[in-house]
Every structure is written in structure tokens, then in C-alpha cells.
Amino acid sequence: MEETLLLQAKHIKKQFAGVYALTEGSLNLKKGSIHALCGGNGAGKSTFLNILMGVFNHDGGDILLDGKQVNFDNPAQALAAGIAIITQELSPIPYMSVAENIFLGREPMCIQGLFIDYAQMLQQSRDLLSKLNFDVDSTMLMVDLSLAQVQLIEIAKAISHHGRILIMDEPTSAIGEAETAILFAAITQLKAQGVGIIYVTHRLSEIFQIADEYTVFRDGCFIEQGLIKDINREYLVQKIVGHKVMRSLRDNASNADDLSQEILLNVSDYSRIGTRTPSFNNIDLNLKKGEILGIYGLMGAGRSAFLNTLYGLAKPDRGLVQINGKEVHIQSPKDAINAGIAFIPKDRKGSGIVGCRSIRENITLTALPKFSPFGWLNRQYEALTVNKMKEMFNIRMSSMDLWVEQLSGGNQQKVVFSKVLLTDPKILLCDEPTRGVDEGAKQEIYKFLSSFVATGKGVIVISSELDEILQISDRILVFKKGKIVEELQRGEATHESLTSCAS
Ligand SMILES: Nc1ncnc2c1ncn2[C@@H]1O[C@H](COP(=O)(O)OP(=O)(O)OP(=O)(O)O)[C@@H](O)[C@H]1O
Ligand SMILES: [Mg+2]
């Protein structure tokens, strides 16, 4: 007899303002299976998952749980039926503690249910995090956590519901390899207990590492379902994009020898010794004209704090920064932009974009004077520029007046790139630049970075994806506990050398 599927979604349809985001969403989830839901940016994955969770209603199709039709009006109903989700865009409550966030709405009570039992809640939170091996203090406020820690808390919270189905929409996009390994151990345990897991990621190596089955969506349509053991990476990429993709290395990949020796940016004895954020100490580095400098390290190594500070989001305690040999004092992002520095932050929601503003406004926001030289906005020029950016990064949008938060995750990232480029920077700082971006768009971003530096500009890029950092960097610095512990040239660095230096 055929086993009953845990969850079955058939021919799900959804349109937003008359435009179809999903025309044919289907998926069959078995018990004790890790099922990868794959598709390019804007393929309809998050829309589909939001429908399963009752966040959006759907315009057609059926959802069956244990063979019985269900229709959730809101996420609380889905949770009650045993389905939990880690959403793509995280939304913690900033001024509540870790424990309060995890147990929000189901706090343990005392004195006949009249009061929240804080001690009990704290203990349960600590037990949960230590069982999962997540190293985060339960009493900390969410606002004080790094993005990676916030993501771990969302994961812990979803797992703590002890559901039968766990949906993860890009759970690893903000965490590094070490935390990913811990997460995978937890997922494998859940699988052994019979939980069905739907897993979305653009990191294809993860899919081949843990998934049992896959379903591909393209342009809002179901394309194919199968077993991971029957396919390889190239096949999967082809199904996702609909045609063959060449994996291009950096086009004019330079040797250290043919890089210009002219120094664009020099940082010396740069230090920030804080207690709340990971700090960095005594950083000496230079960035040459035409160079892509990679920074690798584990979570908490101080990489992001360093870039944030360089961009003026925090103040250093000591140190000297020079651009083209001249000392600069950067106290704020405005100073950084004036000095020719631009920044692609890791947390696009926090500091990259304004979700409830249009795509057009977001792209032109930081370069507004360009579009309004005499005080009034030149709409035509503005629209032309936005269209140019749309084509350059292949942003999938039905209109430039759509709110940015209505775009798919990967397309939001492309908006961040567009916005930053318009400030005409000489130095581009990127923290996880391809977070949530699909394979095709990743190659576009790499090509863009290459052409950007080809004109004598420079890029510093943090990436936790080993493949990525190896592919794009001319030189890699490894951060550990706030210090640079190693410098490796292109060709010298390998997966093994980077991981062993970083840990
Ligand atoms: N609230 C909304 N209003 C209008 N359009 C929307 C809304 N939410 C999603 N869309 C559109 O639906 C399409 C599918 O988006 P979805 O977020 O499901 O893609 P995705 O597969 O999750 O992509 P990614 O990998 O980039 O996260 C996109 O074109 C997006 O702009
Ligand atoms: Mg998505």
C-alpha cells in the first residue's frame, strides 16, 4: 500500500494585483524526508510557503494534510496543525529577550495562570538552545544580537513547536559554515523522528548535502520532482534556470603580479574594542586599485563590525584610514559616501532598503541630488536610470512603483546593488553580497564586481560561502577573534586552508 503523504499541495495559484506570482504550485512531502524546494529569484517559493502557512490566501488549488483537505486562515492555525516555518525575512521583536521571543504567545505561567513564569521560561529557553548547541544567551535582547544569532533564534523557535512539518525558507543565508553544520545536525535528528522538512536555499551544495527529494519551481510553475540521489548539480541548475548555465570564473581573473600596486585604501591599527558587538583589534590592511579583497572568518570573528565601522556606522577607538594616500575621517555613512565608499550590508532589511517604499524611490534615494539638480525631480531621467539598473541586474518586477517588500528576496538584493552603484563609489564594501540570490544572478554579480574593479576601483567582500570567496577574491584575509590571522593569495587558498585558519 502506498504510504500517505504528510503534505500534498496541488495546483496552487496566487495572483497579486492581477499578476500571477504562482500559476501551478505543487509539492508532495513525505514523513521523515528533507525536501528541497528549488527555483530562481521570483520563482514563487516564498509565496507558495506563505500560502501553506495561511499567511496568504490562494486563488486556486488544494492543500492536503495527512490526505485531508485543509485551508489555514492564518499562521496560528497552521502551527496548531503542526506546521512551523522559519521565514525568509526575519522579524524578531527587538526589545524583547531571546527567551521572550522564543515563547511569545505560549509563555509558561504560574500562580494559577495569572503571571508569566519568567524563571521557567528562561530555563526552557536555555535548555532548548543548549540541546541544539546554539551558543546564544537567553537573557539578551534581540536588538543586541548579530543577524546570524537572530537567525539561530528563529530556527530554535520553529523547532520548539515540535511540529510534524518544518518549513525553512533560506535558514542559512545569514549564518556561516560552522553554524550551518550545527543546524544540519538538528535537522537530521528531526528527520529521524519522522518530521517532514521543506528546505529552501540558493546554496546548492547544501541541497546535495542533506536533502532527500527536490521539487523545482520556475516562473511560478511546478517543473519537476525527484530524488536527489538521481541527479547532479549541473542538472538541477539547468532545471532551475531553464537552460544551461556556464559557471564563469572571474573573467579577467588577475594574478597578484598584474594587479596595480597602487594602494587605494589603507587602514592601519584600526581597532574597536566593544563589549556588545564583536570587536576587532589592530587591523592593518590595504586594498589595491583593481583588487577584490575577500575577508573570511567564522561568526563573531569581527568581520562585519570592521566593515560597518569603516562605513561610519560605528566609531573606531583607534586607527588611521587613508584613501589614495590622504587621511579621511569617517564619522557617518554620509562621510563614507562623500569619500567614495559604498556599502552593501548583510542585513538588507535593517540598513539596505526601506521595505514600504517603491523600488524606484529605493534605488534613487541615496543619489537624489543627481536626479534633482535644481531642486525638482527629473522623473524622466529617474525612470531611465531605474530601467537601466533593472536590466543590468535583471530585477524581476511588474512595476517600479511596487513596494520593495513585495519583491522576492533575491530581487530585493539586486535593488540594494542598484541603489549603491548610483552613488558612484570608488570603494565598494560588501557583506555577504549574494545573500538569497540565485545561481544565475550570482554569476551576474560576480561579473559586475569584476568589471567594477577593472577600472581601478576596489572591492572588499565578506562571504561565508567558501566557493564564493575562492571564486571572486584576488587575495583573502582570514579574521579570527577580531584579528587578521592569515593572508592568502588567489590560487593559494583552498576550502581546507580557509577553514583551518578560521577555526
Ligand atoms: N505582496 C506581494 N505583492 C505583489 N507581488 C508580490 C508580493 N509577494 C510576492 N510578489 C511577487 O511574486 C513573485 C514571486 O515571489 P516569491 O517571493 O515567491 O519568489 P521566491 O521564489 O521566494 O524568490 P527568492 O528566491 O528571490 O526569494 C515575485 O515576482 C514577487 O515580486
Ligand atoms: Mg523567497
Side-chain angles (χ1 to χ4, degrees):
M1 204 182 87
E2 204 176 286
E3 77 177 298
T4 314
L5 289 163
L6 193 51
L7 180 85
Q8 231 179 330
K10 299 187 200 170
H11 319 299
I12 306 289
K13 293 185 194 346
K14 174 73 189 172
Q15 49 180 344
F16 293 107
V19 181
Y20 268 106
L22 203 59
T23 42
E24 173 65 50
S26 298
L27 190 138
N28 294 317
L29 179 66
K30 291 197 191 102
K31 259 179 87 167
S33 163
I34 302 176
H35 196 122
L37 175 57
C38 312
N41 293 136
K45 304 177 297 293
S46 297
T47 303
F48 176 78
L49 300 177
N50 278 321
I51 290 170
L52 292 185
M53 284 306 292
V55 177
F56 296 152
N57 53 16
H58 50 295
D59 304 323
D62 300 307
I63 303 170
L64 285 78
L65 190 63
D66 296 319
K68 289 187 203 82
Q69 183 129 10
V70 288
N71 207 347
F72 304 124
D73 291 325
N74 53 54
Q77 288 180 3
L79 263 175
I83 311 180
I85 189 168
I86 299 158
T87 51
Q88 185 172 13
E89 303 302 326
L90 307 173
S91 44
I93 301 177
Y95 289 96
M96 276 190 167
S97 70
V98 165
E100 286 169 311
N101 264 269
I102 294 178
F103 291 101
L104 190 69
R106 51 189 177 121
E107 295 86 352
M109 306 300 275
C110 60
I111 319 189
Q112 294 174 331
L114 287 177
F115 297 98
I116 295 176
D117 188 342
Y118 281 100
Q120 175 70 15
M121 185 164 76
L122 198 59
Q123 194 52 47
Q124 286 183 12
S125 169
R126 285 182 174 143
D127 290 348
L128 173 72
L129 295 175
S130 87
K131 206 173 109 210
L132 291 169
N133 250 325
F134 291 172
D135 182 20
V136 187
D137 177 355
S138 289
T139 58
M140 274 176 83
L141 293 183
M142 294 302 279
V143 70
D144 291 334
L145 301 186
S146 70
L147 183 63
Q149 287 175 317
V150 171
Q151 196 151 36
L152 292 179
I153 296 309
E154 296 272 330
I155 292 167
K157 180 177 172 181
I159 290 177
S160 73
H161 282 278
H162 303 293
R164 298 185 308 136
I165 297 176
L166 184 59
I167 299 174
M168 305 191 170
D169 198 351
E170 298 198 45
T172 55
S173 71
I175 61 178
E177 307 249 331
E179 297 74 37
T180 302
I182 295 174
L183 171 65
F184 283 4
I187 296 180
T188 313
Q189 237 180 40
L190 293 172
K191 170 183 153 166
Q193 293 161 11
V195 176
I197 294 150
I198 303 180
Y199 193 88
V200 175
T201 182
H202 289 292
R203 296 185 180 173
L204 300 183
S205 50
E206 292 185 352
I207 294 178
F208 287 94
Q209 200 180 334
I210 59 158
D212 303 299
E213 296 194 65
Y214 68 94
T215 288
V216 176
F217 283 6
R218 193 193 316 136
D219 296 333
C221 277
F222 169 87
I223 299 292
E224 157 172 317
Q225 166 165 12
L227 299 177
I228 287 291
K229 69 175 176 51
D230 296 338
I231 60 165
N232 61 21
R233 184 187 170 114
E234 198 187 350
Y235 178 89
L236 185 60
V237 172
Q238 200 172 327
K239 287 290 156 194
I240 292 172
V241 295
H243 55 83
K244 273 200 151 153
V245 175
M246 302 289 287
R247 260 173 84 79
S248 64
L249 277 169
R250 260 190 78 193
D251 295 356
N252 345 340
S254 54
N255 286 300
D257 296 344
D258 37 84
L259 265 180
S260 134
Q261 291 306 312
E262 263 181 86
I263 303 224
L264 179 58
L265 171 78
N266 179 273
V267 175
S268 50
D269 191 26
Y270 205 55
S271 309
R272 178 176 158 81
I273 305 135
T275 43
R276 268 169 43 160
T277 48
S279 51
F280 51 86
N281 200 352
N282 211 334
I283 300 295
D284 290 315
L285 64 79
N286 56 52
L287 172 70
K288 298 186 192 101
K289 289 191 174 168
E291 184 178 44
I292 300 183
L293 176 65
I295 300 185
Y296 185 72
L298 300 180
M299 188 176 125
R303 301 169 300 166
S304 296
F306 169 66
L307 277 204
N308 283 332
T309 311
L310 210 49
Y311 186 63
L313 289 167
K315 288 204 172 61
D317 293 327
R318 269 202 323 268
L320 175 74
V321 179
Q322 293 169 306
I323 296 178
N324 286 323
K326 276 202 210 89
E327 184 171 355
V328 288
H329 293 278
I330 294 165
Q331 309 276 343
S332 66
K334 195 171 164 220
D335 294 344
I337 293 170
N338 288 337
I341 302 181
F343 183 42
I344 310 270
K346 172 146 109 177
D347 179 8
R348 61 172 166 262
K349 205 172 164 191
S351 41
I353 46 175
V354 191
C356 56
R357 280 304 185 97
S358 70
I359 299 163
R360 180 174 53 75
E361 287 169 296
N362 267 279
I363 291 182
T364 56
L365 190 70
T366 34
L368 219 48
K370 251 192 191 172
F371 303 101
S372 47
F374 307 108
W376 71 84
L377 188 65
N378 184 339
R379 290 248 171 219
Q380 216 175 352
Y381 180 42
E382 190 196 37
L384 211 70
T385 312
V386 173
N387 268 321
K388 208 171 97 193
M389 289 299 165
K390 176 185 173 205
E391 265 163 41
M392 179 158 171
F393 289 110
N394 190 15
I395 306 175
R396 254 188 77 132
M397 58 183 177
S398 47
S399 145
M400 64 174 79
D401 289 310
L402 218 60
W403 282 7
V404 162
E405 59 187 21
Q406 293 173 319
L407 284 177
S408 81
N411 283 299
Q412 292 184 17
Q413 188 68 6
K414 300 177 197 174
V415 168
V416 177
F417 259 92
S418 311
K419 168 187 143 174
V420 154
L421 259 196
L422 284 183
T423 63
D424 221 358
K426 290 195 284 280
I427 298 166
L428 183 58
L429 312 176
C430 313
D431 196 350
E432 309 285 356
T434 60
R435 190 177 157 221
V437 160
D438 70 31
E439 196 63 25
K442 257 185 200 174
Q443 299 301 332
E444 288 303 315
I445 289 180
Y446 298 163
K447 252 200 248 155
F448 160 72
L449 292 177
S450 259
S451 63
F452 180 80
V453 295
T455 52
K457 296 170 178 172
V459 172
I460 302 183
V461 55
I462 294 177
S463 174
S464 298
E465 263 191 276
L466 284 166
D467 281 340
E468 174 166 286
I469 200 136
L470 289 169
Q471 189 179 347
I472 62 178
S473 317
D474 295 306
R475 193 159 53 103
I476 302 176
L477 301 175
V478 181
F479 269 51
K480 185 176 170 182
K481 296 191 181 141
K483 287 185 178 286
I484 297 176
V485 292
E486 187 63 275
E487 173 175 339
L488 296 158
Q489 300 296 331
R490 164 184 287 281
E492 234 181 347
T494 58
H495 274 227
E496 293 71 32
S497 63
L498 286 179
T499 2
S500 85
C501 292
S503 47

